[in-house]
Amino acid sequence: MDLQMFVTLSPGNWLLLLVALECSEASSDLNKPANPTAQHTPNARFAAASSEPDERISVFELDYDYVQIPYEVTLWILLASLAKIGFHLYHRLPHLMPESCLLILVGVLVGAIIFGTDHKSPPVMDSSIYFLYLLPPIVLEGGYFMPTRPFFENLGSILWWAGLGSLVNAFGIGLSLYLVCQVQAFGLGDVNLLQNLLFGSLISAVDPAAVLAVFEEARVNEQLYLIIFGEALLNDGISVVLYNILIAFTKMHKFEDIEAVDILAGCARFVIVGVGGVLFGVVFGFISAFITRFTQNISAIEPLIVFMFSYLSYLAAETLYLSGILAITACAVTMKKYVEENVSQKSYTTIKYFMKMLSSVSETLIFIFMGVSTVGKNHEWNWAFICFTLVFCQIWRAISVFALFYVSNQFRTFPFSIKDQCIIFYSGVRGAGSFSLAFLLPLSLFPRKKMFVTATLVVIYFTTFIQGITIGPLVRYLDVKKTNKKESINEELHIRLMDHLKAGIEDVCGHWSHYQVRDKFKKFDHRYLRKILIRKNLPKSSIVSLYKKLEMKQAIEMVETGILSSTAFSVPQQAQRIQGIKRLSPEDVESMRDILTRNMYQVRQRTPSYNKYNLKPQTSEKQAKEILIRRQNTFRESRKGHSLPWGKPAGTKNIRYLSFPYGHPQSAGGDSGAAEFTDDDSSDPGLPFIKFSTPSQTGSLQKRRRMQEAIPMKSLHGGGKAFNSGYQRNASQEGAVGGGRRAASRPKPLFHVVDEEYESGGESEQESLAAGSRWTADRGDSREHDKSHSPLLQRK
Amino acid sequence: MGSRSSRAAVIPDVDSIRRETGFSQASLLRLYQRFRALDRSEKGYLSRMDLQQIGALAVNPLGDRIIDSFFPDGSQRVDFSGFVRVLAYFRPIEDEDTGIRDSKQPEPLNSRMNKLRFAFQLYDLDRDGKISRQEMLQVLRLMVGVQVTEEQLESIADRTVQEADEDGDGAVSFLEFTKSLEKMNIEQKMSIRILK
């Protein structure tokens, strides 16, 4: 596997390696024994220059020390990025192993280079760098991309599992290892209980989100996904809190003096640290949301505000020895909802991408450090300790999973099956967090630190590679009992149809949750919080034009690819084909199957897809747009023949369909005539309506007439002024759901058919603004599926 | 749950619905709440546009047909019992259902046969009991992206009908449909976990 991956690295990569080698060679020559910090080198340079005034000015000089640290850091990050590109080029690879495997390998490679070139000052991570710079972006990203609604619905289970699970794991592993250390034969007698407990706490810091990407194929249900994600999120915080408390204990020099009161104080501190951190985070979240309310004129600093406030919450919490991790998580969660509505679309995208980038950089650097410390001479290998660590990690995770879920299943409406629990157990992959904590153990208190580090590394490598690679097949095995290798085209089509059907019915059913608490919060939110935190009069005029642009572009493309031309749907030719049933060769069948597989629309995933290392490309939006455009045209076709309810014939004017018209399902569109709508309105560059001819359907004429009556005048005219020209088609349609939910507060339905005659030219733009703003304001309230990537159509 | 049961009395005909569909009391209550949430203007029934306002259905390629399946026989309104009846098809099959059922009672709605019947009617728009080639083509067109040409679609439709058609009439009857799917785990594919 490794060889294969190296082969896929581009030649540019090799060049980079050579360059890196050269530079480190050069640096080892130029390096002074003293620590070459940036401050020394300028002085050295000036000193050297001034002390030899009669030397010729050299045309070419090499000064590596000056740039060493940023240069090397940049090279590493670049190397990791190139490796990732290579990783994704071979498209099957991301499904086979998690990306953290790749990062570890890159780290090992860099470590090997540094070791091999005998670098005089290898990179060293110290406690302040890790806790102040490397950790916050990772945690922030986790908190920001968490889907809030499902998270809060499952909050009890998640807290129960993440919190208690970490504690059980930590103490379990620690105590078991202590018992092992008592055995004289292993030579571990000098590792006392406290050190073992500390080791247990750091080794129980799992990073299961790293394997989430491998699950994508197997349809993991939302609850399972949430539990894994929630655990990844909270686990870091809890481990660090525990770690700090135990370090504090260790620092008390007289171990024998630890009394019950100290232990109680420790527990109390645990709770206070956790809760205090969360409160800090929430406060900062609200403050930053409030500030973004006023930034409409300088939208360029909006990302800055978001990041700075999150970071500030972390630092402020750390000042008071509260849990910075939990603070920054809570800040991200609180802030997200309001900030997303306030900031401009570009800022929103910037925030998302920048967050991903920062966390990616942090993680890469940590893995580099890990690689460097792997390939080195500072190991202490103790067979017993390491093997038992591995064994106990698995055993205790299994115990905690099955025991804790057994209890929590009693209280859940939808209990986790044994299959789910197995998946949760198996996803206990350790990551960068454990390594960092192990690496930062103070040597003075831990004379056998090297052994701990080695053991941690072994666990990380084992779990990441072995569990990471095999979890995919395991999930698929658990999910699909029989694998039909060769599905006939029939089956493929029907399977996909049923998937769509199931997804559709699930959408009809909606989300079931504990309504009371959520409703109360929503009411509170709506009445107070939103008034304070959300901007008024969101000027989203460019939403309308953006929609039109997108729609136009897409429609043009569709026409150009010939799909929607009038010949495509012509009926008469098909009569001849019924006679000739061709004998198809296997290759034809194969190619047909290929066509089907590649081109059938994907089933809409209800679970938000989170990928730790990447923001998913927006293929689903493209698909949604296509579907919507097609359906819009068939709607228009079916409406064409009838008069609109308020009594004007449709054909005589330019009807601009700015949203979904009510009611005509495809089967009722019996119009065989071509509908031609041209938009002559020069004031508003509307859509060029493309000429379509519908297939003649077998739907009866009566059905059509009945459709007509189905539109009650009341809802179209609701509120007096029923006509808005806001073009509000939304691929993710979250606003529509909001319309469905809030009967009382919105007398006007969100979507109308607009009749151009009723608008005056000047009003149209204004009304579109109003509609746009209302729509976007509604959107946040009614967000059902908190997708991590908001589709482009949704915002400015 | 004490407070809940008093609200169950609000659901009209709750007992007959329960018997017909097999939903538990709690599920029925939740479905009723959902029904009322969808019925924004509180008419007591759902019309097509109420269902169309479910945003996610709009981007479902089969959205229209799914909505249509709630309105059998061309009616324009669906009341709660009709609503629940459709959803009952998607109830997961429990082991208890298959055991104790006695043969005189009608098959429960969520049996495999009935699930297949429900899926069949998505294809068979004219309700003639057969999926003609034309109907298959229409479904294909709905489900496939725009890059596929019409000829390809037609040949795929041909092939699909050909594979399943045994008596050579150029259409797929319900029995042929069932036969072509006998290896598939319909019970799992067409069951929604939350609808217990």
Side-chain angles (χ1 to χ4, degrees):
Chain A
M1 183 71 79
D2 308 348
L3 281 170
Q4 197 178 21
M5 198 178 55
F6 277 124
V7 163
T8 60
L9 291 174
S10 59
N13 229 346
W14 293 111
L15 195 62
L16 215 57
L17 284 179
L18 287 174
V19 171
L21 263 169
E22 293 251 2
C23 291
S24 27
E25 293 260 12
S27 80
S28 58
D29 293 331
L30 289 177
N31 247 339
K32 303 185 179 48
N35 198 7
T37 57
Q39 287 137 348
H40 290 282
T41 37
N43 297 335
R45 272 205 315 196
F46 290 135
S50 57
S51 64
E52 302 166 23
D54 45 347
E55 206 181 66
R56 293 279 151 254
I57 293 184
S58 54
V59 178
F60 176 70
E61 273 178 23
L62 183 70
D63 184 358
Y64 185 66
D65 293 337
Y66 182 54
V67 296
Q68 181 195 2
I69 293 178
Y71 191 74
E72 287 184 355
V73 169
T74 312
L75 273 183
W76 300 333
I77 296 175
L78 207 51
L79 184 64
S81 313
L82 289 171
K84 281 193 200 181
I85 294 177
F87 183 71
H88 282 281
L89 274 179
Y90 181 47
H91 64 271
R92 279 193 55 81
L93 213 49
H95 292 303
L96 292 175
M97 61 190 211
E99 217 164 300
S100 42
C101 292
L102 176 76
L103 288 176
I104 294 181
L105 286 172
V106 168
V108 168
L109 178 68
V110 172
I113 293 178
I114 290 182
F115 182 72
T117 60
D118 214 13
H119 204 287
K120 290 295 187 296
S121 62
V124 147
M125 176 172 67
D126 71 2
S127 170
S128 61
I129 294 184
Y130 175 68
F131 280 110
L132 288 181
Y133 301 114
L134 293 180
L135 185 60
I138 298 178
V139 185
L140 178 63
E141 186 248 351
Y144 195 81
F145 285 101
M146 188 183 60
T148 31
R149 184 202 49 82
F151 181 75
F152 282 112
E153 281 170 18
N154 289 297
L155 191 62
S157 302
I158 293 178
L159 278 181
W160 172 258
W161 162 235
L164 265 190
S166 309
L167 288 175
V168 165
N169 268 314
F171 283 107
I173 297 177
L175 284 171
S176 330
L177 281 176
Y178 178 60
L179 291 174
V180 164
C181 289
Q182 298 304 89
V183 175
Q184 295 298 81
F186 297 136
L188 296 167
D190 57 339
V191 185
N192 61 17
L193 176 64
L194 213 49
Q195 293 178 344
N196 274 311
L197 284 179
L198 198 65
F199 182 70
S201 81
L202 67 89
I203 204 80
S204 69
V206 290
D207 184 24
V211 297
L212 274 178
V214 188
F215 285 9
E216 293 281 7
E217 282 185 351
R219 260 155 276 135
V220 179
N221 61 63
E222 191 182 64
Q223 314 284 327
L224 184 60
Y225 173 88
L226 249 289
I227 281 276
I228 292 182
F229 198 11
E231 187 195 0
L233 193 64
L234 297 177
N235 194 276
D236 268 342
I238 295 176
S239 303
V240 169
V241 169
L242 200 55
Y243 179 85
N244 283 326
I245 292 180
L246 287 172
I247 288 257
F249 268 117
T250 321
K251 286 200 180 125
M252 293 168 53
H253 292 291
K254 303 190 185 54
F255 300 132
E256 301 76 31
D257 284 355
I258 295 181
E259 303 165 8
V261 74
D262 287 321
I263 298 186
L264 276 178
C267 295
R269 190 158 161 204
F270 183 78
V271 171
I272 289 183
V273 162
V275 172
V278 169
L279 282 176
F280 252 77
V282 168
V283 165
F284 272 91
F286 280 132
I287 295 178
S288 76
F290 183 65
I291 292 187
T292 54
R293 185 182 166 186
F294 302 107
T295 57
Q296 54 252 51
N297 296 322
I298 18 167
S299 50
I301 66 167
E302 280 161 353
L304 196 64
I305 290 186
V306 168
F307 285 113
M308 289 300 115
F309 267 102
S310 318
Y311 194 43
L312 204 60
S313 72
Y314 180 81
L315 294 174
E318 285 287 323
T319 321
L320 298 177
Y321 282 106
L322 300 174
S323 166
I325 295 181
L326 291 176
I328 203 174
T329 309
C331 183
V333 168
T334 320
M335 188 169 68
K336 179 178 178 186
K337 200 155 81 108
Y338 306 105
V339 159
E340 275 189 349
E341 296 201 24
N342 278 336
V343 301
S344 69
Q345 165 68 354
K346 294 203 175 76
S347 303
Y348 177 71
T349 316
T350 311
I351 293 175
K352 274 191 316 182
Y353 273 92
F354 204 63
M355 224 174 255
K356 279 284 181 197
M357 194 182 80
L358 280 179
S359 86
S360 175
V361 163
S362 287
E363 195 149 18
T364 308
L365 286 177
I366 296 180
F367 279 123
I368 300 265
F369 287 131
M370 196 164 98
V372 166
S373 86
T374 312
V375 185
K377 300 203 192 83
N378 50 351
H379 286 297
E380 183 190 329
W381 188 271
N382 183 312
W383 276 105
F385 191 76
I386 292 175
C387 293
F388 275 108
T389 307
L390 268 179
V391 166
F392 285 137
C393 281
Q394 304 299 335
I395 293 181
W396 278 101
R397 185 160 175 94
I399 293 178
S400 58
V401 164
F402 291 113
L404 288 176
F405 276 102
Y406 178 75
V407 172
S408 95
N409 273 346
Q410 315 296 335
F411 299 102
R412 285 180 60 90
T413 342
F414 310 117
F416 284 104
S417 64
I418 297 289
K419 244 183 352 177
D420 294 336
Q421 292 173 29
C422 283
I423 295 178
I424 296 176
F425 156 66
Y426 207 67
S427 68
V429 169
R430 271 75 178 167
S434 313
F435 168 71
S436 320
L437 291 177
F439 197 75
L440 299 175
L441 286 172
L443 196 58
S444 52
L445 300 169
F446 289 85
R448 301 199 71 160
K449 171 181 166 177
K450 288 189 193 163
M451 184 179 71
F452 287 145
V453 172
T454 311
T456 311
L457 283 172
V458 168
V459 171
I460 293 179
Y461 280 105
F462 180 85
T463 53
T464 308
F465 282 95
I466 307 227
Q467 280 183 234
I469 293 179
T470 54
I471 195 171
L474 179 75
V475 170
R476 279 184 276 274
Y477 170 73
L478 286 177
D479 201 34
V480 179
K481 287 293 187 238
K482 352 175 189 149
T483 45
N484 303 343
K485 273 296 159 189
K486 278 286 174 190
E487 284 168 358
S488 64
I489 291 185
N490 233 314
E491 284 177 341
E492 264 207 56
L493 182 63
H494 297 320
I495 287 175
R496 189 57 64 94
L497 179 121
M498 289 187 190
D499 285 337
H500 280 300
L501 176 59
K502 181 171 166 180
I505 299 281
E506 277 177 343
D507 291 324
V508 171
C509 291
H511 285 275
W512 287 359
S513 58
H514 309 290
Y515 277 129
Q516 296 94 330
V517 175
R518 190 159 76 103
D519 279 345
K520 281 206 201 93
F521 176 71
K522 272 172 119 53
K523 254 191 278 203
F524 172 70
D525 178 43
H526 202 79
R527 215 183 296 165
Y528 301 111
L529 290 179
R530 293 177 61 88
K531 292 220 170 50
I532 306 175
L533 299 175
I534 308 276
R535 278 184 208 171
K536 300 201 207 327
N537 311 326
L538 301 171
K540 299 273 188 195
S541 57
S542 53
I543 269 193
V544 177
S545 44
L546 180 73
Y547 281 161
K548 293 199 173 139
K549 255 195 293 195
L550 286 171
E551 190 67 16
M552 219 186 322
K553 187 160 170 288
Q554 179 90 356
I556 289 175
E557 271 175 32
M558 283 173 84
V559 166
E560 281 175 353
T561 52
I563 301 306
L564 293 172
S565 64
S566 50
T567 54
F569 288 167
S570 63
V571 176
Q573 301 159 0
Q574 288 153 10
Q576 311 151 322
R577 299 192 54 126
I578 296 179
Q579 271 79 31
I581 300 179
K582 301 187 291 193
R583 286 271 141 237
L584 293 168
S585 61
E587 296 88 47
D588 286 343
V589 178
E590 243 343 283
S591 68
M592 270 191 205
R593 195 178 297 124
D594 268 342
I595 294 176
L596 263 189
T597 330
R598 260 183 294 122
N599 286 305
M600 278 206 285
Y601 285 133
Q602 303 292 323
V603 181
R604 198 183 60 84
Q605 294 289 343
R606 283 183 121 208
T607 329
S609 69
Y610 171 74
N611 188 324
K612 196 169 188 201
Y613 302 99
N614 196 12
L615 283 170
K616 275 273 184 231
Q618 298 169 336
T619 48
S620 56
E621 276 84 41
K622 190 160 167 294
Q623 169 182 319
K625 272 191 268 179
E626 279 178 19
I627 296 176
L628 288 175
I629 290 182
R630 281 177 151 177
R631 293 183 67 202
Q632 179 204 34
N633 295 319
T634 50
F635 280 149
R636 199 182 309 130
E637 286 319 302
S638 58
R639 288 298 302 277
K640 203 248 168 190
H642 342 297
S643 53
L644 296 168
W646 53 91
K648 300 268 162 90
T652 56
K653 65 162 76 76
N654 303 328
I655 299 180
R656 213 189 320 171
Y657 277 73
L658 298 167
S659 57
F660 280 145
Y662 293 121
H664 300 288
Q666 206 171 3
S667 56
D671 243 309
S672 49
E676 205 168 70
F677 296 104
T678 50
D679 196 341
D680 299 332
D681 190 3
S682 55
S683 68
D684 205 354
L687 296 173
F689 291 125
I690 320 257
K691 174 174 175 175
F692 298 118
S693 54
T694 51
S696 62
Q697 309 260 4
T698 50
S700 62
L701 218 51
Q702 293 154 336
K703 258 200 224 168
R704 262 192 299 156
R705 301 260 167 76
R706 267 185 256 134
M707 293 304 113
Q708 210 176 314
E709 292 149 25
I711 304 171
M713 300 251 319
K714 179 177 74 141
S715 52
L716 278 176
H717 284 288
K721 268 293 230 143
F723 306 107
N724 279 296
S725 51
Y727 189 84
Q728 295 164 4
R729 181 169 313 142
N730 176 4
S732 71
Q733 289 296 343
E734 292 167 357
V737 186
R741 279 281 161 91
R742 281 164 292 105
S745 54
R746 296 253 158 262
K748 280 190 239 190
L750 289 176
F751 298 124
H752 325 271
V753 171
V754 179
D755 204 86
E756 204 165 276
E757 224 184 52
Y758 288 97
E759 301 160 8
S760 53
E763 271 182 51
S764 54
E765 195 56 32
Q766 194 185 12
E767 283 183 3
S768 75
L769 292 183
S773 66
R774 207 176 36 244
W775 170 76
T776 46
D778 297 340
R779 200 181 4 94
D781 190 27
S782 58
R783 187 162 298 213
E784 289 246 323
H785 313 293
D786 222 355
K787 289 192 182 170
S788 58
H789 54 285
S790 233
L792 202 56
L793 281 184
Q794 201 179 11
R795 7 179 83 249
K796 179 174 106 89
Chain B
M1 289 290 278
S3 60
R4 289 246 184 123
S5 54
S6 60
R7 274 190 261 147
V10 176
I11 305 177
D13 304 322
V14 63
D15 288 320
S16 64
I17 296 179
R18 276 196 72 185
R19 250 176 296 128
E20 192 188 349
T21 59
F23 278 121
S24 66
Q25 191 80 330
S27 297
L28 271 184
L29 201 57
R30 264 181 249 144
L31 283 172
Y32 190 62
Q33 283 168 346
R34 175 67 174 169
F35 180 80
R36 295 201 32 209
L38 285 174
D39 178 16
R40 295 178 310 137
S41 27
E42 292 186 13
K43 312 184 283 292
Y45 57 87
L46 290 179
S47 65
R48 275 210 166 78
M49 87 188 85
D50 287 322
L51 287 175
Q52 275 166 350
Q53 302 248 290
I54 301 174
L57 272 185
V59 289
N60 191 319
L62 300 171
D64 293 325
R65 298 200 179 199
I66 295 177
I67 293 177
D68 276 341
S69 63
F70 279 91
F71 299 90
D73 316 318
S75 60
Q76 294 314 305
R77 308 176 169 195
V78 57
D79 59 359
F80 181 62
S81 62
F83 181 70
V84 174
R85 201 169 295 128
V86 170
L87 295 179
Y89 285 104
F90 289 87
R91 218 160 58 81
I93 296 185
E94 320 267 336
D95 295 322
E96 304 93 51
D97 286 346
T98 51
I100 351 172
R101 190 174 58 82
D102 84 77
S103 49
K104 279 203 283 265
Q105 281 177 354
E107 242 181 304
L109 281 175
N110 63 339
S111 69
R112 185 192 165 94
M113 266 302 153
N114 278 327
K115 286 185 201 277
L116 281 171
R117 244 184 274 271
F118 188 79
F120 188 77
Q121 64 160 16
L122 278 187
Y123 289 91
D124 183 22
L125 291 177
D126 54 6
R127 302 277 186 272
D128 61 355
K130 289 208 267 243
I131 306 176
S132 70
R133 191 187 153 277
Q134 188 61 16
E135 288 168 338
M136 192 69 84
L137 187 58
Q138 277 165 21
V139 171
L140 259 178
R141 233 185 250 134
L142 280 181
M143 300 217 318
V144 169
V146 294
Q147 304 92 319
V148 184
T149 65
E150 190 65 16
E151 294 83 33
Q152 287 170 322
L153 276 182
E154 283 178 8
S155 49
I156 294 178
D158 278 336
R159 173 76 190 174
T160 316
V161 172
Q162 190 189 337
E163 272 180 6
D165 189 17
E166 285 170 1
D167 54 7
D169 58 353
V172 181
S173 71
F174 178 60
L175 288 171
E176 290 162 352
F177 181 70
T178 324
K179 193 131 181 289
S180 69
L181 292 176
E182 60 187 357
K183 277 186 279 159
M184 250 200 341
N185 188 357
I186 304 289
E187 293 85 343
Q188 197 224 6
K189 277 241 169 266
M190 286 195 38
S191 295
I192 297 179
R193 211 163 90 142
I194 55 176
L195 287 177
K196 267 202 296 239

